[in-house]
Amino acid sequence: MLEIPLPPWKERPNEPLPTKRARLLYESRKRGMLENCILLSLFAKENLSRMDERQLNLYDRLINEPSNDWDIYYWATEAKPTPAVFDNEVMAMLKELAKNKKKEQRLRQPDLEYLFESTS
């Protein structure tokens, strides 16, 4: 099997937070496999708006540095141990979401209407 190397992940320290959140939302929804599209888009809906810059950077690294989406899925579902570099509070949040303690039916990504709802 031929594996094409991905460009190395680079932190974007001067990226404005609204731009970073929008990019991470897009990247959470457009993955290489349906399982991560669903899991990460739900995570983005629940968490991106309230995450601080440090947490956003951790999430950015998590979803963009590994070259294999299956690795992210296996770490989040605890099928494989998480490497130390990604074992942080954001991964803990993702693992908690993946447990689906409320037993919600998760068959597709959330619609984007929530982005336009008033928070007041």
Side-chain angles (χ1 to χ4, degrees):
M1 180 166 102
L2 176 66
E3 189 167 324
I4 299 171
L6 296 175
W9 174 79
K10 291 183 182 176
E11 191 169 351
R12 302 175 190 203
N14 298 320
E15 185 176 30
L17 288 182
T19 303
K20 184 182 293 283
R21 283 190 175 93
R23 178 177 58 79
L24 291 173
L25 172 63
Y26 176 83
E27 291 173 350
S28 296
R29 297 178 64 86
K30 303 298 181 188
R31 305 304 304 177
M33 52 183 269
L34 179 61
E35 292 85 349
N36 272 359
C37 288
I38 294 170
L39 181 63
L40 296 177
S41 65
L42 287 167
F43 181 85
K45 178 183 179 184
E46 296 294 320
N47 296 289
L48 284 185
S49 65
R50 64 177 179 221
M51 291 169 75
D52 62 30
E53 186 172 11
R54 185 183 58 76
Q55 291 170 320
L56 290 169
N57 288 335
L58 290 171
Y59 184 64
D60 189 2
R61 184 175 189 184
L62 170 65
I63 68 171
N64 288 305
E65 187 173 319
S67 62
N68 186 339
D69 253 21
W70 280 110
D71 288 337
I72 299 169
Y73 182 78
Y74 290 142
W75 303 333
T77 59
E78 301 184 72
K80 291 185 177 179
T82 305
V85 68
F86 300 113
D87 198 9
N88 54 50
E89 66 186 279
V90 172
M91 178 55 81
M93 293 163 59
L94 183 58
K95 286 178 180 181
E96 193 62 29
L97 180 81
K99 290 177 184 174
N100 194 13
K101 290 183 178 180
K102 295 179 184 176
K103 304 296 182 206
E104 298 167 319
Q105 191 175 46
R106 297 175 173 173
L107 303 176
R108 63 186 189 87
Q109 297 181 55
D111 294 326
L112 294 174
E113 281 82 15
Y114 73 92
L115 295 171
F116 308 104
E117 294 172 356
S118 174
T119 57
S120 54

